[in-house]
Amino acid sequence: MEPVRFTFLNGSDIERLQLSDSEVLDAVEQGLLAQGRGETVIEPRVHLTPDPAFNGHFNVLRGYVAPLGLAGVKIVGDYVDNYKSGLPSEMALLNLFDPRTGMPVAILDATAITEMRTGALTALGARHLARPDAKVLGHIGARATSYWNVRLLDRIFDLTEIRVHSRRPESRKAFAERLERDLGKPVIVTEDWQSCVEGADIVVEASRLERPEPLLKTEWIAPGALVVPYGTMSAVELSLTDVMDKIVVDDWGQCRSGPFGALRAHVESGRLSEETLHGELCEIVVGDKPGRERAEETTLFWHRGLSLSDIALGAAMLAKAQARGLGQKLRFS
């Protein structure tokens, strides 16, 4: 019997791949297309909290994407105090398997994958749900996924005004400086939530709260805007869903259960249900349901994070790495 080997891609390998914005968006869109065509399996994410005193938990995401011939499990730590130790708040590993035999195919450092695929899902949701002429972005949060939110939204909409805010002044300043350097356009750093999001065409809420707190006020949302809240702890008012013409999620199975999520209270109170939900993003991507239909529609896109996006982006990275001779072949048995 031949030895079984799998590929290991570490963070340096993935950085050397230099995936373009288009490659990231295309890979994540392929996952959505497969989901919309019924060619996937999504198991609801589960969580592990080792000790509440550590102020963090693990998310475990599991899925299968038939067109790619891959099943995958991603484990990502979500620790809000990591910045005090100079560590990212989210670090992850993605495990890819052959679904026919169960044998390992690859293990990837999925920290960058998590950042990229989250931004790609935000941007793809906006492509279908924001006004095509959207130019003003208000972004709350400065974590690593936030960078890819702004970068990929700018790729699609060529934004003329980018406002950012986060809890710590040093983090929002560094965030804005990175964006200005990479995007080649000015970024406005705001001192509060209201001046960041009020009247914006696209509002993204990616805050890092320790407990639910309604810091994003419904009255600040302009008619015709798109709101994308995806913080672990809710930062929005219960009334937010009342002003929406369409509410779209990435996977209703994950959104309707579990202890975390930006609209958890809205689900538990019945404000968001299968009856009030417009649909899943994948249904819009494949053409089964309409996205934005009128300029004056106010829309909301809530994404909890798709294992399919991790698998699809991981597969794209693995293919590019093999073409470039990157990564290590490790013996399994």
Side-chain angles (χ1 to χ4, degrees), residues 227 229 234 236-257 260-280 299-304:
V227 181
S234 177
V236 302
E237 293 186 304
L238 277 174
S239 58
L240 181 66
T241 53
D242 298 342
V243 304
M244 294 299 161
D245 295 296
K246 285 190 175 82
I247 301 175
V248 176
V249 299
D250 56 351
D251 173 47
W252 177 239
Q254 291 189 116
C255 289
R256 68 187 176 194
S257 62
F260 302 115
L263 299 187
R264 178 60 49 227
H266 298 75
V267 174
E268 292 173 352
S269 65
R271 282 177 168 82
L272 178 56
S273 64
E274 274 189 280
E275 288 69 39
T276 60
L277 183 71
H278 175 65
E280 296 176 329
T299 56
L300 184 147
F301 175 45
W302 176 29
H303 56 91
R304 296 279 287 122

Side-chain angles (χ1 to χ4, degrees), residues 210-226:
E210 294 186 9
R211 63 191 63 83
E213 186 177 357
L215 296 173
L216 178 61
K217 305 301 182 183
T218 304
E219 65 186 36
W220 300 339
I221 304 304
L226 165 67

Side-chain angles (χ1 to χ4, degrees), residues 27-37 121 124 250 281-283 285-286 306 308-309:
V28 174
E29 189 171 46
Q30 290 306 306
L32 289 169
L33 286 167
Q35 181 190 11
R37 293 167 180 159
L121 210 57
L124 290 168
D250 56 351
L281 180 60
C282 65
E283 296 177 286
V285 171
V286 299
L306 285 172
L308 312 179
S309 301

Side-chain angles (χ1 to χ4, degrees), residues 3-289:
V4 174
R5 301 181 187 276
F6 63 90
T7 302
F8 174 56
L9 295 182
N10 61 32
S12 296
D13 295 325
I14 289 170
E15 189 173 346
R16 289 168 65 190
L17 290 176
Q18 295 184 315
L19 259 69
S20 68
D21 294 350
S22 294
E23 286 175 315
V24 173
L25 289 166
D26 289 347
V28 174
E29 189 171 46
Q30 290 306 306
L32 289 169
L33 286 167
Q35 181 190 11
R37 293 167 180 159
E39 300 171 334
T40 63
V41 175
I42 306 174
E43 291 290 337
R45 66 169 59 199
V46 293
H47 308 279
L48 169 65
T49 303
D51 189 322
F54 300 155
N55 204 16
H57 64 277
F58 293 96
N59 300 313
V60 183
L61 292 82
R62 307 158 292 164
Y64 165 58
V65 184
L68 298 176
L70 289 170
V73 178
K74 186 183 78 171
I75 302 174
V76 52
D78 190 352
Y79 282 73
V80 299
D81 292 329
N82 274 8
Y83 71 92
K84 298 175 183 177
S85 305
L87 296 171
S89 59
E90 295 171 303
M91 291 181 284
L93 283 175
L94 173 64
N95 304 270
L96 296 176
F97 301 91
D98 183 335
R100 298 163 187 81
T101 64
M103 298 307 293
V105 173
I107 295 178
L108 297 84
D109 178 336
T111 305
I113 289 174
T114 301
E115 297 165 3
M116 293 174 183
R117 69 87 152 124
T118 302
L121 210 57
T122 297
L124 290 168
R127 177 185 282 170
H128 292 279
L129 293 168
R131 293 196 321 272
D133 62 349
K135 291 296 180 184
V136 179
L137 169 66
H139 193 291
I140 300 292
R143 50 176 159 162
T145 59
S146 298
Y147 170 80
W148 284 94
N149 285 336
V150 179
R151 173 170 165 168
L152 296 177
L153 284 168
D154 186 60
R155 170 81 176 190
I156 292 174
F157 294 95
D158 190 17
L159 301 164
T160 59
E161 185 175 325
I162 299 171
R163 314 172 194 159
V164 299
H165 176 75
S166 68
R167 179 169 54 91
R168 294 182 293 118
E170 65 272 20
S171 71
R172 58 185 183 248
K173 181 175 182 291
F175 182 43
E177 289 173 350
R178 182 186 180 191
L179 289 170
E180 288 185 337
R181 182 177 65 250
D182 292 357
L183 302 182
K185 58 181 62 177
V187 173
I188 301 168
V189 179
T190 71
E191 300 299 316
D192 55 66
W193 285 59
Q194 182 174 359
S195 57
C196 181
V197 306
E198 190 170 32
D201 300 320
I202 301 173
V203 174
V204 179
E205 182 277 300
S207 61
R208 303 287 293 165
L209 302 182
E210 294 186 9
R211 63 191 63 83
E213 186 177 357
L215 296 173
L216 178 61
K217 305 301 182 183
T218 304
E219 65 186 36
W220 300 339
I221 304 304
L226 165 67
V227 181
V228 186
Y230 72 84
T232 301
M233 298 294 176
S234 177
V236 302
E237 293 186 304
L238 277 174
S239 58
L240 181 66
T241 53
D242 298 342
V243 304
M244 294 299 161
D245 295 296
K246 285 190 175 82
I247 301 175
V248 176
V249 299
D250 56 351
D251 173 47
W252 177 239
Q254 291 189 116
C255 289
R256 68 187 176 194
S257 62
F260 302 115
L263 299 187
R264 178 60 49 227
H266 298 75
V267 174
E268 292 173 352
S269 65
R271 282 177 168 82
L272 178 56
S273 64
E274 274 189 280
E275 288 69 39
T276 60
L277 183 71
H278 175 65
E280 296 176 329
L281 180 60
C282 65
E283 296 177 286
I284 297 173
V285 171
V286 299
D288 289 342
K289 290 188 177 179

